[in-house]
Amino acid sequence: MALAAGARMYGAQIYNPAPVTGLKPTSDGKWDVQTPHGTIRANCIVNTAGFWAREVGKMIGFEHPTIPVHHQYVVTATVPEVKALKKELAVIRDLEGSYYMRQERDGLLFGPYEKMEKMVLQDSWVRDGVPPGFGKELFESDLDRIMEHIEMAMEMVPVLKKADIINVVSGPITYTPDLLPMVGPHQGIRNYWTAIGFGYGVIHAGGIGKFLSDWIINREPPYDLIECDPSRYGKWTDVPFICAKARESYGFNNVVGYPKEERFAGRPTSRTSGVYKLLKDKCSMGFHAGWEQPHWFYKPGDDTGYKPSFRRTNWFSSVGGECRLVMEKVGVIDLTPFGKFIVKGKDSLKLLDHLFANNMPKVGQTNISHMLTPAGRVFAEVTLTHMTPGEFLLITGSGSELHDLRWIETEAAEGRYDVDINNVTDKIGVLGIAGPNSRKVLQKLTDEDMSDAGFKFLHCKNIQLAGIPVRAIRISYTGTLMCFNCVYMCVGELGWELYIEQKNMAAVYQAMMEAGKDEGIDNFGTYAMASLRLEKGFRGWGAEEIKGKGLKRKLSYLSVRTDDVDPEGNETIWHNGKVVGNTTSGAYSYSSQQSLVFGYLPLELSSVGQQVEVELLDKKYPATVIQEPLVLTEPTRTRLAKKAKA
């Protein structure tokens, strides 16, 4: 009510009660919002409807992946020890007991998160809709469901044992599959925005309201919240997946989160690549935008499966072998989760030249380009391939698929460009093959000349591989561009990306594995790719791309002297007992046998040789700013070897 009063002061009009009975988009991108009191013409609409969000979305054909969960909390009468305090208690979050507790007037408020088998979903609302007329009603409480959490809270806060319970509240809170809200414009329709899926309600209202209003007015977000982008979900988030994830995620409100964490409920989704069945029992899979993608592969004698830990665990030695495989022989990786779009039509070149801060590639060539916002910020990085005159293949990271597609579609519509934009992400599989022997393997399977002269760097060709049509892009890189979505930037070794129809992907994979036996071919996963990226000094999308305002800080490359723990990103950097910066991404370098990390440091502490400390698991480890890259890319090594020989 306070926020509403403030909004009215500045001219907002609030109609209540005014249920929305229909939403009709107009040809110019506006909306007719139909209510019992009449129709409102709006430039844009924002769905902030809480557990009615699915109903609103369905009016325009969306199935938003939100589901109501029964959440209970307990309120006590006055507790003398609380009333006697001079200042308000801090909020307690007990991870072992899975509950939160805070002061409520002169008493306590206590809210648990039950285990998966005890929590209750209001899944009937997902299937049948919220009952007409439901408003501020509550559900029937059930203390038995939360009794074990109450007992643990009493052990932590003994005054709770004597407190009188005056109220047990049980009501609906809305969850998304990953617990994060859906905030921003939605892909697939113009000027439709969401602010839904909030598990904590009004506490987010001020910040999210400011974030969205700034974005709507200025046509770009004031800062990056891509992890909350509504377009991170797609058609693969069906009702069974939503329900399974809500049961799993509810208890994760109050648990310890691990590096490289995986959650397995609802998996796999409908998004599996053409080689998934061949690989699923040979590796530990990760989850990327609905896809299953190999993180690391098992070797005989390995302790297999997912083993969460803050320290190096069962994957460590096997990932080292995969790094050596790519550096010394040849490895194959499944890169199908890439977002993939085809843009063609009369104005395709004109549109892309408007969107990207780079010259467009010539037919048969590829380049790396940045989409910019009106203010000149980097919105996305995309690989552009000019396949035939006026027809382009755009590749982006898996987590950016619909995020980037929305921007392209919006610009095309508002600029009235005559183009056809087709999302082919689910139709086309991608295999990466990298390493010094990769050319030999492919040459056995094709009549196409795969030599340096015959197939140049960043060129694209349609080839036959084992008799199967494949679009191949030659990859190997000599510089230090960002590592966003391409294996060659990440591993820095000779290689190709192969774009294949999903139905033919397994056949191409098996043909390469057979042809590469003498070359020592094997699989590698994304953990190895991350290590190879770090040691060659390639930046990571979203983490190492931001320049400090006024150049007050600099992205630095550090070697960290650790024991059995490695930096992951978001760790604190110390100097002389003070916090001076933060890490952005890190990994263990198997080539140099040390931990490496990127981090932002003040300019005066960014020189090579500067000593600082990186905090890991409550311990400060010595770190040194070093010259990047630590390991040279394959083309650079080859060029230096030729120069030395000459």
Side-chain angles (χ1 to χ4, degrees):
M1 295 303 293
L3 290 170
R8 288 190 183 97
M9 287 172 56
Y10 290 93
Q13 294 175 323
I14 300 173
Y15 301 91
N16 182 39
V20 175
T21 57
L23 295 170
K24 184 179 179 181
T26 64
S27 60
D28 59 353
K30 297 182 180 181
W31 288 90
D32 283 339
V33 182
Q34 297 166 350
T35 81
H37 310 287
T39 298
I40 302 169
R41 174 63 60 88
N43 292 326
C44 67
I45 54 176
V46 187
N47 183 348
T48 62
F51 50 75
W52 291 278
R54 283 181 65 87
E55 266 82 341
V56 173
K58 285 179 179 179
M59 292 180 185
I60 52 177
F62 288 123
E63 294 274 351
H64 293 314
T66 60
I67 185 169
V69 175
H70 287 226
H71 180 65
Q72 299 187 94
Y73 64 87
V74 176
V75 182
T76 75
T78 296
V79 177
E81 292 87 346
V82 174
K83 186 175 182 179
L85 293 172
K86 300 295 185 183
K87 58 183 180 180
E88 186 176 356
L89 281 171
V91 176
I92 296 172
R93 293 184 71 88
D94 183 353
L95 301 186
E96 286 77 14
S98 189
Y99 65 85
Y100 61 88
M101 186 184 299
R102 64 174 174 82
Q103 185 172 340
E104 178 75 356
R105 295 186 174 87
D106 292 331
L108 295 170
L109 184 150
F110 158 80
Y113 295 98
E114 304 102 285
K115 294 179 180 177
M116 188 184 302
E117 62 273 13
K118 289 189 176 182
M119 59 91 67
V120 176
L121 298 177
Q122 194 64 28
D123 48 0
S124 64
W125 290 8
V126 176
R127 296 189 305 268
D128 308 323
V130 181
F134 188 94
K136 298 179 180 179
E137 292 82 0
L138 296 171
F139 301 133
E140 186 176 345
S141 60
D142 184 355
L143 277 176
D144 288 342
R145 285 208 327 259
I146 61 175
M147 188 53 66
E148 64 177 297
H149 304 283
I150 292 175
E151 291 171 353
M152 295 183 76
M154 288 176 174
E155 292 300 317
M156 176 68 73
V157 185
V159 296
L160 195 61
K161 296 178 181 179
K162 301 177 183 178
D164 293 326
I165 295 175
I166 59 172
N167 201 6
V168 180
V169 179
S170 178
I173 59 173
T174 308
Y175 271 53
T176 64
D178 63 6
L179 295 180
L180 293 175
M182 299 170 63
V183 182
H186 206 289
Q187 187 273 329
I189 197 162
R190 293 170 66 188
N191 296 319
Y192 171 67
W193 300 64
T194 63
I196 59 178
F198 292 89
Y200 300 105
V202 73
I203 195 171
H204 289 124
I208 290 299
K210 181 71 164 68
F211 176 78
L212 280 181
S213 59
D214 284 352
W215 193 347
I216 291 169
I217 291 168
N218 300 323
R219 299 186 64 245
E220 63 180 277
Y223 44 85
D224 180 32
L225 273 183
I226 193 171
E227 65 271 23
C228 295
D229 195 289
S231 298
R232 70 188 184 274
Y233 297 121
K235 294 179 180 179
W236 50 272
T237 50
D238 55 18
V239 172
F241 176 83
I242 297 169
C243 293
K245 278 297 177 191
R247 287 194 174 279
E248 177 188 57
S249 297
Y250 184 68
F252 275 94
N253 272 289
N254 265 341
V255 296
V256 175
Y258 290 97
K260 300 179 172 64
E261 187 170 75
E262 289 293 323
R263 301 178 184 178
F264 296 96
R267 295 171 52 183
T269 71
S270 58
R271 280 190 145 180
T272 55
S273 77
V275 295
Y276 171 73
K277 290 182 179 179
L278 294 175
L279 302 181
K280 64 185 180 72
D281 295 327
K282 300 178 180 179
C283 66
S284 179
M285 287 282 185
F287 190 71
H288 302 273
W291 295 96
E292 299 291 325
Q293 186 176 26
H295 276 170
W296 64 282
F297 285 84
Y298 308 143
K299 296 300 178 189
D302 278 351
D303 181 12
T304 61
Y306 172 64
K307 311 287 187 194
S309 174
F310 286 102
R311 303 183 183 276
R312 298 169 188 165
T313 182
N314 57 334
W315 51 265
F316 185 75
S317 61
S318 291
V319 172
E322 293 174 22
C323 291
R324 290 187 293 273
L325 170 78
V326 176
M327 294 285 289
E328 299 169 6
K329 297 178 182 177
V330 54
V332 176
I333 185 171
D334 182 5
L335 297 171
T336 300
F338 286 168
K340 304 173 273 291
F341 322 130
I342 291 177
V343 179
K344 61 182 179 181
K346 187 181 79 171
D347 293 337
S348 59
L349 183 62
K350 187 178 178 182
L351 169 65
L352 297 178
D353 201 28
H354 163 71
L355 283 171
F356 292 98
N358 200 350
N359 295 323
M360 292 298 99
K362 297 177 181 178
V363 175
Q365 295 186 24
T366 296
N367 72 17
I368 316 301
S369 299
H370 295 85
M371 277 200 295
L372 303 184
T373 68
R377 297 189 179 106
V378 175
F379 187 80
E381 200 220 44
V382 177
T383 302
L384 295 173
T385 298
H386 201 161
M387 299 187 295
T388 61
E391 182 179 14
F392 294 83
L393 173 66
L394 279 60
I395 307 297
T396 188
S398 59
S400 305
E401 175 196 346
L402 300 181
H403 169 272
D404 295 357
L405 180 61
R406 180 196 58 78
W407 188 272
I408 296 168
E409 289 174 337
T410 300
E411 291 294 311
E414 293 182 353
R416 298 187 177 183
Y417 291 93
D418 184 1
V419 294
D420 178 61
I421 303 168
N422 188 15
N423 185 359
V424 296
T425 299
D426 290 351
K427 297 177 182 178
I428 298 177
V430 188
L431 291 172
I433 180 169
N437 294 341
S438 57
R439 178 184 285 114
K440 294 179 183 178
V441 174
L442 294 181
Q443 195 65 78
K444 292 179 181 181
L445 299 171
T446 183
D447 294 331
E448 188 72 38
D449 182 4
M450 305 299 285
S451 67
D452 279 332
F455 202 145
K456 295 181 180 179
F457 163 60
L458 287 186
H459 277 58
C460 171
K461 291 185 179 183
N462 291 327
I463 66 174
Q464 293 284 318
L465 208 61
I468 298 170
V470 172
R471 178 174 287 115
I473 300 177
R474 163 75 189 281
I475 52 175
S476 60
Y477 191 65
T478 58
T480 55
L481 279 178
M482 298 291 186
C483 169
F484 294 90
N485 49 47
C486 294
V487 64
Y488 66 92
M489 291 191 203
C490 290
V491 303
E493 300 300 317
L494 172 68
W496 280 262
E497 286 172 358
L498 309 173
Y499 293 82
I500 316 151
E501 287 189 28
Q502 287 277 16
K503 64 181 181 181
N504 295 326
M505 195 175 173
V508 171
Y509 170 84
Q510 289 172 319
M512 288 196 300
M513 300 306 282
E514 181 64 30
K517 284 182 177 179
D518 292 342
E519 281 71 36
I521 197 168
D522 209 342
N523 299 292
F524 72 103
T526 58
Y527 284 5
M529 189 162 66
S531 174
L532 292 164
R533 170 183 83 84
L534 258 294
E535 63 188 22
K536 292 184 175 71
F538 296 145
R539 275 79 166 146
W541 166 247
E544 281 110 26
E545 195 202 18
I546 304 161
K547 288 186 177 180
K549 291 182 179 180
L551 295 179
K552 294 179 180 178
R553 57 180 186 152
K554 180 181 178 182
L555 185 70
S556 302
Y557 193 49
L558 298 99
S559 170
V560 189
R561 295 186 289 283
T562 64
D563 36 50
D564 65 340
V565 60
D566 299 299
E568 295 274 340
N570 286 329
E571 293 98 2
T572 303
I573 303 177
W574 294 78
H575 181 255
N576 287 343
K578 294 182 179 180
V579 174
V580 294
N582 64 282
T583 67
T584 55
S585 67
Y588 183 78
S589 165
Y590 293 88
S591 298
S592 62
Q593 297 189 3
Q594 59 186 302
S595 283
L596 301 175
V597 71
F598 278 114
Y600 280 103
L601 287 172
L603 285 180
E604 63 272 18
L605 298 178
S606 63
S607 300
V608 172
Q610 175 67 53
Q611 301 292 314
V612 292
E613 294 175 309
V614 174
E615 184 176 352
L616 302 168
L617 297 182
D618 203 32
K619 180 179 177 181
K620 297 182 180 70
Y621 290 90
T624 305
V625 178
I626 59 175
Q627 183 68 46
E628 56 177 293
L630 200 61
V631 178
L632 298 176
T633 61
E634 178 271 335
T636 303
R637 297 196 305 269
T638 301
R639 186 175 66 251
L640 292 175
K642 288 180 179 178
K643 184 177 180 180
K645 186 176 181 181

